[in-house]
Short mmCIF file of all heavy atoms in Angstrom, two decimals:
data_model
loop_
_atom_site.label_atom_id
_atom_site.label_comp_id
_atom_site.label_asym_id
_atom_site.label_seq_id
_atom_site.Cartn_x
_atom_site.Cartn_y
_atom_site.Cartn_z
N LEU A 1 -21.77 -24.03 70.02
CA LEU A 1 -21.52 -23.95 68.59
C LEU A 1 -20.65 -25.11 68.13
O LEU A 1 -19.62 -25.39 68.75
CB LEU A 1 -20.80 -22.64 68.25
CG LEU A 1 -20.23 -22.51 66.83
CD1 LEU A 1 -21.36 -22.36 65.82
CD2 LEU A 1 -19.27 -21.35 66.74
N VAL A 2 -21.09 -25.76 67.06
CA VAL A 2 -20.25 -26.70 66.33
C VAL A 2 -20.26 -26.18 64.90
O VAL A 2 -21.31 -26.16 64.25
CB VAL A 2 -20.77 -28.15 66.40
CG1 VAL A 2 -19.87 -29.07 65.57
CG2 VAL A 2 -20.86 -28.63 67.85
N HIS A 3 -19.11 -25.72 64.45
CA HIS A 3 -19.00 -25.14 63.10
C HIS A 3 -17.99 -26.00 62.34
O HIS A 3 -16.79 -25.93 62.59
CB HIS A 3 -18.54 -23.68 63.21
CG HIS A 3 -18.72 -22.92 61.96
ND1 HIS A 3 -18.58 -21.56 61.90
CD2 HIS A 3 -19.05 -23.31 60.70
CE1 HIS A 3 -18.81 -21.15 60.66
NE2 HIS A 3 -19.08 -22.20 59.92
N SER A 4 -18.49 -26.82 61.43
CA SER A 4 -17.65 -27.81 60.77
C SER A 4 -17.47 -27.51 59.28
O SER A 4 -18.15 -26.66 58.72
CB SER A 4 -18.24 -29.22 60.96
OG SER A 4 -19.56 -29.26 60.48
N ASP A 5 -16.54 -28.24 58.70
CA ASP A 5 -16.21 -28.13 57.27
C ASP A 5 -15.68 -26.75 56.89
O ASP A 5 -15.92 -26.25 55.79
CB ASP A 5 -17.41 -28.50 56.39
CG ASP A 5 -17.87 -29.93 56.61
OD1 ASP A 5 -16.99 -30.79 56.83
OD2 ASP A 5 -19.08 -30.19 56.59
N LEU A 6 -14.92 -26.15 57.80
CA LEU A 6 -14.30 -24.85 57.53
C LEU A 6 -12.97 -25.04 56.80
O LEU A 6 -12.24 -26.00 57.08
CB LEU A 6 -14.03 -24.10 58.84
CG LEU A 6 -15.27 -23.56 59.53
CD1 LEU A 6 -14.97 -23.23 60.98
CD2 LEU A 6 -15.79 -22.34 58.79
N PRO A 7 -12.64 -24.14 55.88
CA PRO A 7 -11.32 -24.22 55.24
C PRO A 7 -10.24 -24.22 56.34
O PRO A 7 -10.23 -23.34 57.21
CB PRO A 7 -11.26 -22.95 54.39
CG PRO A 7 -12.70 -22.62 54.10
CD PRO A 7 -13.43 -23.02 55.36
N ALA A 8 -9.36 -25.21 56.30
CA ALA A 8 -8.38 -25.41 57.37
C ALA A 8 -7.54 -24.17 57.64
O ALA A 8 -7.31 -23.81 58.80
CB ALA A 8 -7.47 -26.58 57.02
N GLU A 9 -7.12 -23.48 56.59
CA GLU A 9 -6.24 -22.32 56.77
C GLU A 9 -6.97 -21.11 57.36
O GLU A 9 -6.33 -20.14 57.75
CB GLU A 9 -5.57 -21.95 55.44
CG GLU A 9 -6.53 -21.52 54.34
CD GLU A 9 -7.22 -22.65 53.59
OE1 GLU A 9 -7.05 -23.84 53.92
OE2 GLU A 9 -7.98 -22.34 52.65
N GLN A 10 -8.29 -21.17 57.47
CA GLN A 10 -9.07 -20.04 58.00
C GLN A 10 -9.72 -20.34 59.35
O GLN A 10 -10.25 -19.43 59.99
CB GLN A 10 -10.17 -19.66 56.99
CG GLN A 10 -9.64 -19.20 55.67
CD GLN A 10 -10.74 -18.97 54.65
OE1 GLN A 10 -11.92 -19.24 54.88
NE2 GLN A 10 -10.37 -18.46 53.49
N ALA A 11 -9.69 -21.57 59.79
CA ALA A 11 -10.43 -21.97 60.99
C ALA A 11 -10.06 -21.16 62.23
O ALA A 11 -10.94 -20.77 63.00
CB ALA A 11 -10.24 -23.47 61.25
N ALA A 12 -8.80 -20.91 62.44
CA ALA A 12 -8.38 -20.15 63.64
C ALA A 12 -8.96 -18.73 63.61
O ALA A 12 -9.38 -18.21 64.65
CB ALA A 12 -6.86 -20.10 63.75
N ASP A 13 -9.02 -18.12 62.42
CA ASP A 13 -9.60 -16.78 62.32
C ASP A 13 -11.09 -16.80 62.63
O ASP A 13 -11.60 -15.90 63.30
CB ASP A 13 -9.37 -16.20 60.92
CG ASP A 13 -7.91 -15.83 60.68
OD1 ASP A 13 -7.22 -15.47 61.64
OD2 ASP A 13 -7.49 -15.90 59.51
N TYR A 14 -11.80 -17.82 62.15
CA TYR A 14 -13.23 -17.91 62.45
C TYR A 14 -13.45 -18.19 63.93
O TYR A 14 -14.39 -17.67 64.53
CB TYR A 14 -13.92 -18.94 61.57
CG TYR A 14 -13.93 -18.53 60.11
CD1 TYR A 14 -13.38 -19.33 59.14
CD2 TYR A 14 -14.46 -17.30 59.72
CE1 TYR A 14 -13.36 -18.94 57.80
CE2 TYR A 14 -14.44 -16.90 58.39
CZ TYR A 14 -13.90 -17.73 57.44
OH TYR A 14 -13.87 -17.33 56.12
N ALA A 15 -12.60 -19.01 64.54
CA ALA A 15 -12.73 -19.29 65.97
C ALA A 15 -12.63 -18.00 66.78
O ALA A 15 -13.44 -17.76 67.68
CB ALA A 15 -11.67 -20.29 66.42
N SER A 16 -11.66 -17.15 66.47
CA SER A 16 -11.56 -15.88 67.19
C SER A 16 -12.67 -14.93 66.77
O SER A 16 -13.17 -14.14 67.58
CB SER A 16 -10.18 -15.24 67.01
OG SER A 16 -9.96 -14.92 65.66
N GLY A 17 -13.10 -15.00 65.52
CA GLY A 17 -14.18 -14.15 65.04
C GLY A 17 -15.50 -14.40 65.75
O GLY A 17 -16.24 -13.46 66.06
N TRP A 18 -15.81 -15.68 66.04
CA TRP A 18 -17.04 -15.96 66.77
C TRP A 18 -17.02 -15.26 68.12
O TRP A 18 -18.02 -14.69 68.55
CB TRP A 18 -17.25 -17.47 66.95
CG TRP A 18 -17.79 -18.10 65.71
CD1 TRP A 18 -17.16 -18.98 64.88
CD2 TRP A 18 -19.06 -17.84 65.11
NE1 TRP A 18 -17.96 -19.28 63.82
CE2 TRP A 18 -19.14 -18.60 63.93
CE3 TRP A 18 -20.14 -17.04 65.45
CZ2 TRP A 18 -20.27 -18.58 63.10
CZ3 TRP A 18 -21.26 -17.02 64.62
CH2 TRP A 18 -21.31 -17.80 63.47
N LYS A 19 -15.88 -15.29 68.78
CA LYS A 19 -15.78 -14.65 70.10
C LYS A 19 -15.91 -13.13 69.98
O LYS A 19 -16.69 -12.50 70.70
CB LYS A 19 -14.46 -15.02 70.76
CG LYS A 19 -14.36 -16.50 71.10
CD LYS A 19 -12.98 -16.88 71.57
CE LYS A 19 -12.87 -18.39 71.74
NZ LYS A 19 -11.50 -18.81 72.02
N GLU A 20 -15.16 -12.55 69.06
CA GLU A 20 -15.11 -11.09 68.94
C GLU A 20 -16.37 -10.47 68.33
O GLU A 20 -16.82 -9.41 68.77
CB GLU A 20 -13.90 -10.69 68.08
CG GLU A 20 -13.72 -9.19 67.96
CD GLU A 20 -12.47 -8.81 67.18
OE1 GLU A 20 -11.65 -9.69 66.85
OE2 GLU A 20 -12.31 -7.61 66.91
N TYR A 21 -16.95 -11.12 67.32
CA TYR A 21 -18.06 -10.51 66.59
C TYR A 21 -19.44 -11.05 66.97
O TYR A 21 -20.45 -10.51 66.54
CB TYR A 21 -17.85 -10.68 65.08
CG TYR A 21 -16.62 -9.97 64.61
CD1 TYR A 21 -15.48 -10.67 64.24
CD2 TYR A 21 -16.56 -8.58 64.59
CE1 TYR A 21 -14.34 -10.01 63.82
CE2 TYR A 21 -15.43 -7.91 64.18
CZ TYR A 21 -14.32 -8.63 63.80
OH TYR A 21 -13.18 -7.98 63.40
N TYR A 22 -19.47 -12.13 67.78
CA TYR A 22 -20.76 -12.68 68.19
C TYR A 22 -20.91 -12.82 69.69
O TYR A 22 -21.83 -12.24 70.27
CB TYR A 22 -21.03 -14.03 67.47
CG TYR A 22 -21.54 -13.78 66.08
CD1 TYR A 22 -20.66 -13.63 65.02
CD2 TYR A 22 -22.89 -13.62 65.83
CE1 TYR A 22 -21.11 -13.34 63.75
CE2 TYR A 22 -23.36 -13.33 64.56
CZ TYR A 22 -22.46 -13.19 63.53
OH TYR A 22 -22.92 -12.90 62.28
N TRP A 23 -20.07 -13.59 70.35
CA TRP A 23 -20.31 -13.86 71.76
C TRP A 23 -20.17 -12.60 72.62
O TRP A 23 -21.05 -12.32 73.45
CB TRP A 23 -19.41 -14.98 72.28
CG TRP A 23 -19.37 -16.21 71.41
CD1 TRP A 23 -18.29 -17.03 71.22
CD2 TRP A 23 -20.42 -16.79 70.63
NE1 TRP A 23 -18.61 -18.04 70.36
CE2 TRP A 23 -19.92 -17.93 69.98
CE3 TRP A 23 -21.75 -16.44 70.38
CZ2 TRP A 23 -20.68 -18.72 69.13
CZ3 TRP A 23 -22.52 -17.23 69.52
CH2 TRP A 23 -21.99 -18.35 68.92
N LEU A 24 -19.11 -11.85 72.44
CA LEU A 24 -18.94 -10.62 73.22
C LEU A 24 -20.04 -9.60 72.91
O LEU A 24 -20.67 -9.08 73.84
CB LEU A 24 -17.56 -10.03 72.99
CG LEU A 24 -17.20 -8.80 73.83
CD1 LEU A 24 -17.30 -9.11 75.32
CD2 LEU A 24 -15.79 -8.33 73.49
N PRO A 25 -20.38 -9.33 71.65
CA PRO A 25 -21.48 -8.40 71.37
C PRO A 25 -22.83 -8.89 71.91
O PRO A 25 -23.63 -8.08 72.38
CB PRO A 25 -21.50 -8.29 69.85
CG PRO A 25 -20.08 -8.57 69.45
CD PRO A 25 -19.62 -9.63 70.43
N LEU A 26 -23.09 -10.20 71.85
CA LEU A 26 -24.34 -10.72 72.41
C LEU A 26 -24.39 -10.46 73.92
O LEU A 26 -25.43 -10.06 74.45
CB LEU A 26 -24.47 -12.22 72.15
CG LEU A 26 -25.27 -12.65 70.93
CD1 LEU A 26 -25.16 -14.17 70.75
CD2 LEU A 26 -26.72 -12.23 71.01
N GLN A 27 -23.28 -10.71 74.61
CA GLN A 27 -23.25 -10.48 76.04
C GLN A 27 -23.48 -9.00 76.36
O GLN A 27 -24.27 -8.66 77.26
CB GLN A 27 -21.92 -10.96 76.62
CG GLN A 27 -21.81 -12.47 76.60
CD GLN A 27 -20.43 -12.99 76.92
OE1 GLN A 27 -19.43 -12.32 76.74
NE2 GLN A 27 -20.36 -14.23 77.39
N LYS A 28 -22.84 -8.12 75.61
CA LYS A 28 -23.03 -6.68 75.82
C LYS A 28 -24.46 -6.26 75.50
O LYS A 28 -25.05 -5.43 76.20
CB LYS A 28 -22.04 -5.89 74.97
CG LYS A 28 -20.62 -5.97 75.46
CD LYS A 28 -19.69 -5.17 74.57
CE LYS A 28 -18.26 -5.24 75.07
NZ LYS A 28 -17.35 -4.47 74.21
N HIS A 29 -25.02 -6.80 74.44
CA HIS A 29 -26.39 -6.48 74.01
C HIS A 29 -27.38 -6.80 75.13
O HIS A 29 -28.19 -5.95 75.50
CB HIS A 29 -26.71 -7.29 72.75
CG HIS A 29 -28.12 -7.17 72.27
ND1 HIS A 29 -28.59 -6.04 71.63
CD2 HIS A 29 -29.15 -8.04 72.30
CE1 HIS A 29 -29.87 -6.24 71.30
NE2 HIS A 29 -30.22 -7.43 71.70
N PHE A 30 -27.29 -8.01 75.69
CA PHE A 30 -28.24 -8.39 76.73
C PHE A 30 -27.95 -7.71 78.06
O PHE A 30 -28.88 -7.44 78.82
CB PHE A 30 -28.35 -9.91 76.83
CG PHE A 30 -29.12 -10.48 75.67
CD1 PHE A 30 -28.49 -11.19 74.68
CD2 PHE A 30 -30.49 -10.23 75.53
CE1 PHE A 30 -29.19 -11.69 73.58
CE2 PHE A 30 -31.20 -10.71 74.44
CZ PHE A 30 -30.55 -11.44 73.46
N ALA A 31 -26.70 -7.37 78.33
CA ALA A 31 -26.39 -6.58 79.53
C ALA A 31 -27.01 -5.19 79.41
O ALA A 31 -27.56 -4.66 80.38
CB ALA A 31 -24.88 -6.48 79.73
N ALA A 32 -26.95 -4.60 78.20
CA ALA A 32 -27.55 -3.28 77.98
C ALA A 32 -29.06 -3.35 78.13
O ALA A 32 -29.68 -2.46 78.71
CB ALA A 32 -27.18 -2.74 76.60
N LEU A 33 -29.67 -4.42 77.61
CA LEU A 33 -31.12 -4.58 77.74
C LEU A 33 -31.51 -4.73 79.20
O LEU A 33 -32.52 -4.19 79.64
CB LEU A 33 -31.61 -5.79 76.93
CG LEU A 33 -31.56 -5.64 75.42
CD1 LEU A 33 -31.98 -6.94 74.76
CD2 LEU A 33 -32.42 -4.49 74.94
N ALA A 34 -30.71 -5.47 79.97
CA ALA A 34 -31.00 -5.64 81.39
C ALA A 34 -30.95 -4.30 82.10
O ALA A 34 -31.72 -4.03 83.02
CB ALA A 34 -30.01 -6.62 82.02
N GLY A 35 -30.05 -3.43 81.66
CA GLY A 35 -29.94 -2.09 82.23
C GLY A 35 -31.13 -1.21 81.93
O GLY A 35 -31.39 -0.24 82.61
N GLN A 36 -31.91 -1.57 80.89
CA GLN A 36 -33.10 -0.81 80.51
C GLN A 36 -34.34 -1.30 81.25
O GLN A 36 -35.41 -0.77 81.07
CB GLN A 36 -33.37 -0.95 79.01
CG GLN A 36 -32.35 -0.30 78.14
CD GLN A 36 -32.70 -0.48 76.66
OE1 GLN A 36 -33.72 -1.05 76.30
NE2 GLN A 36 -31.84 0.02 75.81
N GLY A 37 -34.21 -2.36 82.03
CA GLY A 37 -35.37 -2.93 82.69
C GLY A 37 -36.01 -3.96 81.80
O GLY A 37 -35.40 -4.49 80.89
N ALA A 38 -37.27 -4.25 82.03
CA ALA A 38 -37.97 -5.31 81.30
C ALA A 38 -38.64 -4.77 80.05
O ALA A 38 -39.83 -4.95 79.84
CB ALA A 38 -38.98 -5.98 82.22
N LYS A 39 -37.91 -4.14 79.18
CA LYS A 39 -38.49 -3.58 77.95
C LYS A 39 -38.41 -4.55 76.78
O LYS A 39 -38.78 -4.21 75.68
CB LYS A 39 -37.76 -2.28 77.58
CG LYS A 39 -38.02 -1.16 78.55
CD LYS A 39 -37.35 0.10 78.09
CE LYS A 39 -37.58 1.22 79.09
NZ LYS A 39 -36.90 2.44 78.70
N GLY A 40 -37.87 -5.74 76.99
CA GLY A 40 -37.78 -6.69 75.89
C GLY A 40 -36.53 -6.49 75.07
O GLY A 40 -35.62 -5.77 75.45
N ALA A 41 -36.49 -7.11 73.92
CA ALA A 41 -35.29 -7.11 73.07
C ALA A 41 -35.30 -5.98 72.07
O ALA A 41 -35.12 -6.18 70.89
CB ALA A 41 -35.17 -8.46 72.37
N THR A 42 -35.53 -4.77 72.55
CA THR A 42 -35.46 -3.63 71.65
C THR A 42 -34.54 -2.58 72.24
O THR A 42 -34.49 -2.39 73.44
CB THR A 42 -36.85 -3.00 71.41
OG1 THR A 42 -37.38 -2.60 72.67
CG2 THR A 42 -37.80 -3.97 70.74
N ARG A 43 -33.80 -1.94 71.38
CA ARG A 43 -32.95 -0.84 71.77
C ARG A 43 -32.54 -0.14 70.49
O ARG A 43 -32.73 -0.65 69.41
CB ARG A 43 -31.73 -1.29 72.57
CG ARG A 43 -30.70 -2.03 71.75
CD ARG A 43 -29.47 -2.27 72.62
NE ARG A 43 -28.48 -3.03 71.93
CZ ARG A 43 -27.45 -2.53 71.25
NH1 ARG A 43 -27.31 -1.24 71.13
NH2 ARG A 43 -26.57 -3.30 70.67
N THR A 44 -31.96 1.02 70.62
CA THR A 44 -31.48 1.71 69.44
C THR A 44 -30.25 0.99 68.93
O THR A 44 -29.30 0.78 69.68
CB THR A 44 -31.12 3.16 69.78
OG1 THR A 44 -32.28 3.77 70.34
CG2 THR A 44 -30.66 3.92 68.55
N PRO A 45 -30.27 0.54 67.65
CA PRO A 45 -29.11 -0.19 67.14
C PRO A 45 -27.86 0.68 67.12
O PRO A 45 -27.94 1.89 66.97
CB PRO A 45 -29.52 -0.56 65.72
CG PRO A 45 -31.00 -0.37 65.66
CD PRO A 45 -31.34 0.64 66.70
N ALA A 46 -26.72 0.01 67.24
CA ALA A 46 -25.45 0.70 67.07
C ALA A 46 -25.34 1.16 65.63
O ALA A 46 -25.99 0.61 64.75
CB ALA A 46 -24.30 -0.26 67.41
N PRO A 47 -24.54 2.18 65.36
CA PRO A 47 -24.38 2.59 63.97
C PRO A 47 -23.93 1.41 63.12
O PRO A 47 -23.08 0.63 63.53
CB PRO A 47 -23.26 3.65 64.03
CG PRO A 47 -23.23 4.09 65.45
CD PRO A 47 -23.72 2.93 66.27
#
């Protein structure tokens, strides 16, 4: 990821937000799919 032109006073929050709201959930999502076997990218969405 290269995310540029962010408001300076908010950049640190977005940097941690990418980790918390995207990278970690993506890792969990694909780990859960792997646990289901080769069913592809479908699962019951979280609430």
